[in-house]
Amino acid sequence: MVAPAQSWQHWGGDAGGTRFAPLSEITPANVDRLLRAWDYRTGDLESRTPAAAFRTKFEATPILVEDSLVFCTPFNEVVALDPGTGAQRWRFDPKVSDGRRPANRYACRGVTSWVDRTAPADAACRSRLFMGTVDARLIALDARTGRPCAGFGDGGEVRIDIAKDLLWPGEFQITSAPVVGRDVVVVGSSIADNQRLDAPKGTVRGFDARTGVLRWSFDPLIHDGIQAGHANVWAPMSVDDERGLVFLPTSSPSPDFFGGARPGDNKHADSVVALRVDSGTLAWSFQITHHDVWDYDLPAQPTLARIETGQGARDVVMQPTKQGFVFVLDRDTGQPVWPVEERAVPQGAAEGEALSPTQPFPTHVPPLLDQRFALDEIFRAVPRAIDSSCDDQLAPLRNDGLYTPPSTQGTLFFPMTGGGVNWGGAAFDPVHQILYANVSRALQIVRLIPRAQAERMTPHRGVDLGLQRGAPFAVTRSVAMSKLGLLCNRPPWGEMVAVDLKAGRILWRSTVGTTEDRAPLGLAFKWGTPLVNGVVVTAGGVVFTGAMDAYLRAFDAASGRELWQGRLPAPGVANPMTYQWKGEQYVVIAAGGHSEAGTSLGDAVVAFRLARDGEAPSLWSRTIDRPGGRFAGGALSAGFVVLVALLLAWLRWRRRRQA
């Protein structure tokens, strides 16, 4: 499953998404010599209308194909760079409109490559790239020139037939890279959540990689006796070409937070689904969440690997989840490798709802984060007498732990609908049999709003309103934050976790991110940031990740100790990748920020490598040389924290007055 040593040929490193690079030039001993090698600006923030540019998420992971580093911009422009210098070699613009208002922002996580082994070596489009677009097209390009493949569809593109009128053009889009198996290109979709009961179907489609002809389509949701749409595959997929299987992480049915019109478990939603890639027929399915009313869909690429179980080696599918679980399934059958228990979960749903009485819990691999929150764990940067806003928000909520159902009273979700683990997925070191993943730790308030009240409602700032038309309830969602702008739960708010799969134990946790790019005066409290992006692990014993502050970070894979930070022009809310070029190892990340999270935005791709002989240390890099040190955001006095919190409160008050 591992690509050649110099290459990163797939979005997840290899077709199975292990995000493992068998490169060892960069090690814990020399990572402090990393410097910025080059950066490339896409120009998106200047060339697009402000309304469009500030609705972007630059989440792309480049791949190394035909001696070029290739990625897509949030507006689906495909760019090929020289891997050593960052110089542009070619660029393709599919002319995506600025006016679509895509529900999940302008985003393109990557492109995929395929080689037609039957074509002559010098034939145009023998080596080609595939990309899904924000306006529902599948595009094929010559990987060497960037020109559209004339024999694919209509002049190099196929328009996806959605077979349903959309509420607005941006209700349907494609955000994750397609995958290719046995000459079939498989494409999922991203569809607006919580808009309506009768939402578009979450159909997955397989197209002939040479011609673009539709070979098959698969609707994950069994519609007998239910009213619902979605169960789409918005997250990245994986392929086992030898077995002829494509693995789908499916999402929840519509609408997310009320399932009264869709009784039962709603198979094959919220499931790992294995399809025969040549025909689109079902091989097996394993459901992670029964009758989902929590938006606990599968957000991450299934990771394919061979693991030691204690009873021999097995080929498996590892599926991290928003809840913080890691399910490990046999790749041929979909059966759990270690026992999974059906455990009773909270009941007492809203009127008209029928919850599943149980949910599946893995027993061998522990959860990657806590799954219950108590009010005595509220984060108090200042005394309660100064700011009791978190108590006021959280105390009235229903809070019975994981799988507490949505309610008109208001329900506390922890983990929140953004994870746990999100689309960045996990990385797996096949040598040491260790899984690495980023997790977010934040509280969310979810409240069902009776239909008549919802139609008159104007949500407050920071509150998302989903009308869920056709259901008796709309829904509001908000992240629980204090008046000071701090999350209501104690830090860390973002962590990297390492798991020994065979032993079934957490090896270490390490906080990822500081407040430096959000707090006054650049104060770097090491509290972590939410982490939707993933990691890459190398044979050299280093794990790299971005965060919602503007640094690429390196961690010791064995201990979890943070080793190094590389400054970025904007937060790197994307998966990093690494490759070897002319004998040197590079690490690359897209640095574009995250418009939904309110970070600064950018349009850069940034590469780092080790300093060559005679090169001066980089001003853009710094070593983390001691716990609690200056750049680690170490512990500060309680009085100083209070002072900073009051300053934050004053700044927020001043902004509100000015607005």
Side-chain angles (χ1 to χ4, degrees):
M1 298 298 296
V2 175
Q6 75 278 9
S7 297
W8 187 280
Q9 296 180 329
H10 301 265
W11 182 83
D14 54 59
T18 63
R19 293 169 192 78
F20 172 77
L23 301 175
S24 56
E25 182 188 10
I26 300 171
T27 69
N30 65 17
V31 70
D32 61 332
R33 294 176 48 225
L34 281 177
L35 51 74
R36 189 187 292 192
W38 53 260
D39 61 82
Y40 172 89
R41 303 296 179 107
T42 69
D44 277 350
L45 297 185
E46 291 79 28
S47 63
R48 299 285 176 168
T49 64
F54 289 97
R55 288 186 62 84
T56 59
K57 296 187 292 188
F58 194 8
E59 298 174 339
T61 301
I63 59 175
L64 185 61
V65 178
E66 297 294 338
D67 288 341
S68 289
L69 204 63
V70 185
F71 64 94
C72 54
T73 76
F75 296 97
N76 294 116
E77 293 188 53
V78 183
V79 182
L81 305 179
D82 182 292
T85 66
Q88 181 178 305
R89 288 180 168 168
W90 56 257
R91 183 165 178 157
F92 168 80
D93 184 359
K95 307 298 183 183
V96 166
S97 168
D98 282 8
R100 293 189 62 82
R101 269 196 321 116
N104 294 297
R105 306 290 171 120
Y106 287 96
C108 178
R109 296 192 183 96
V111 300
T112 195
S113 66
W114 173 75
V115 176
D116 184 355
R117 304 294 180 186
T118 67
D122 58 349
C125 285
R126 180 181 190 271
S127 177
R128 61 182 66 183
L129 302 164
F130 295 103
M131 173 185 62
T133 69
V134 70
D135 54 5
R137 288 179 281 167
L138 174 63
I139 293 176
L141 303 176
D142 187 308
R144 287 175 284 200
T145 66
R147 299 189 185 98
C149 296
F152 184 87
D154 182 8
E157 66 178 50
V158 173
R159 290 195 172 271
I160 307 296
D161 182 10
I162 303 167
K164 189 175 186 69
D165 291 336
L166 300 179
L167 296 178
W168 78 98
E171 186 183 11
F172 182 103
Q173 64 190 111
I174 303 169
T175 53
S176 291
V179 293
V180 185
R182 298 195 175 181
D183 304 340
V184 177
V185 188
V186 184
V187 185
S189 62
S190 180
I191 308 173
D193 287 336
N194 304 314
Q195 298 301 310
R196 48 177 168 159
L197 185 153
D198 185 26
K201 293 181 179 180
T203 305
V204 179
R205 298 167 175 87
F207 297 88
D208 187 287
R210 294 182 178 86
T211 67
V213 171
L214 181 67
R215 293 267 294 267
W216 53 260
S217 60
F218 174 80
D219 181 359
L221 189 60
I222 298 175
H223 290 270
D224 293 346
I226 70 170
Q227 292 178 272
H230 290 347
N232 55 308
V233 178
W234 63 267
M237 297 171 279
S238 297
V239 171
D240 184 330
D241 208 50
E242 182 179 341
R243 285 175 168 83
L245 296 176
V246 57
F247 299 90
L248 319 178
T250 66
S251 74
S252 50
S254 64
D256 283 340
F257 299 99
F258 182 80
R262 48 176 173 87
D265 284 351
N266 306 147
K267 293 183 177 178
H268 301 283
D270 300 282
S271 301
V272 182
V273 176
L275 300 182
R276 299 176 183 91
V277 72
D278 54 356
S279 64
T281 56
L282 181 68
W284 57 258
S285 175
F286 183 90
Q287 191 169 60
I288 302 295
T289 309
H290 307 320
H291 190 81
D292 186 2
V293 292
W294 303 273
D295 194 20
Y296 281 160
D297 56 357
L298 299 192
Q301 181 179 25
T303 302
L304 310 185
R306 187 168 181 82
I307 67 169
E308 293 294 335
T309 65
Q311 297 178 336
R314 293 175 69 172
D315 290 341
V316 301
V317 182
M318 296 177 283
Q319 182 64 59
T321 75
K322 290 181 177 180
Q323 299 95 308
F325 291 129
V326 178
F327 287 84
V328 182
L329 310 174
D330 183 275
R331 207 181 307 173
D332 291 308
T333 67
Q335 293 301 305
V337 170
W338 293 291
V340 171
E341 295 179 352
E342 288 287 336
R343 297 179 185 171
V345 294
Q347 298 295 293
E351 183 179 355
E353 183 64 87
L355 299 172
S356 172
T358 64
Q359 293 291 345
F361 286 73
T363 61
H364 178 72
V365 181
L368 303 184
L369 75 164
D370 298 334
Q371 297 172 324
R372 180 179 290 272
F373 177 82
L375 293 180
D376 61 6
E377 298 174 286
I378 288 176
F379 178 49
R380 302 194 188 281
V382 297
R384 182 176 177 179
I386 296 176
D387 181 11
S388 64
S389 55
C390 286
D391 303 81
D392 298 339
Q393 293 175 71
L394 301 180
L397 302 177
R398 185 173 176 189
N399 178 20
D400 300 327
L402 186 63
Y403 297 118
T404 304
S407 62
T408 54
Q409 169 187 345
T411 296
L412 183 65
F413 276 27
F414 184 70
M416 65 174 287
T417 59
V421 180
N422 208 287
W423 59 261
F428 180 70
D429 180 341
V431 178
H432 299 95
Q433 298 278 292
I434 298 173
L435 187 81
Y436 301 87
N438 282 338
V439 296
S440 297
R441 299 178 70 257
L443 305 175
Q444 190 172 39
I445 301 169
V446 176
R447 180 173 281 106
L448 295 178
I449 310 296
R451 172 60 48 209
Q453 179 183 345
E455 298 300 334
R456 305 188 303 269
M457 184 175 181
T458 301
H460 298 295
R461 183 178 181 182
V463 176
D464 173 68
L465 171 64
L467 287 175
Q468 300 193 142
R469 295 179 177 91
F473 300 98
V475 65
T476 60
R477 293 183 294 172
S478 58
V479 176
M481 301 182 72
S482 72
K483 289 181 179 179
L484 304 180
L486 303 173
L487 294 178
C488 285
N489 55 298
R490 294 172 185 165
W493 298 321
E495 290 182 306
M496 186 188 299
V497 185
V499 185
D500 182 328
L501 287 180
K502 182 178 177 181
R505 65 188 181 94
I506 304 294
L507 294 177
W508 50 258
R509 300 176 181 274
S510 189
T511 300
V512 181
T514 76
T515 61
E516 178 178 343
D517 292 306
R518 305 293 287 270
L521 309 177
L523 295 168
F525 296 99
K526 193 175 181 180
W527 291 342
T529 76
L531 301 166
V532 296
N533 54 296
V535 307
V536 57
V537 59
T538 73
V542 181
V543 189
F544 292 97
T545 186
M548 287 194 185
D549 62 2
Y551 288 95
L552 175 68
R553 287 179 166 82
F555 293 81
D556 187 305
S559 68
R561 185 169 68 91
E562 187 174 349
L563 302 171
W564 169 88
Q565 297 175 357
R567 186 66 174 169
L568 302 171
V573 190
N575 283 9
M577 57 85 72
T578 184
Y579 59 92
Q580 189 179 75
W581 181 253
K582 296 184 178 179
E584 294 180 298
Q585 183 180 350
Y586 291 76
V587 184
V588 172
I589 192 167
H594 196 281
S595 55
E596 288 174 302
T599 73
S600 61
L601 299 182
D603 58 5
V605 177
V606 183
F608 294 87
R609 60 163 170 77
L610 295 177
R612 297 166 182 162
D613 290 343
E615 285 186 324
S618 173
L619 296 176
W620 302 106
S621 303
R622 62 194 189 189
T623 305
I624 309 303
D625 55 2
R626 64 186 187 277
R630 176 186 176 195
F631 296 132
L636 298 172
S637 71
F640 188 61
V641 171
V642 171
L643 178 63
V644 172
L646 291 173
L647 179 58
L648 282 167
W650 178 78
L651 289 172
R652 287 171 62 84
W653 173 82
R654 184 179 179 186
R655 282 197 296 268
R656 285 197 298 268
R657 286 287 301 270
Q658 291 173 342

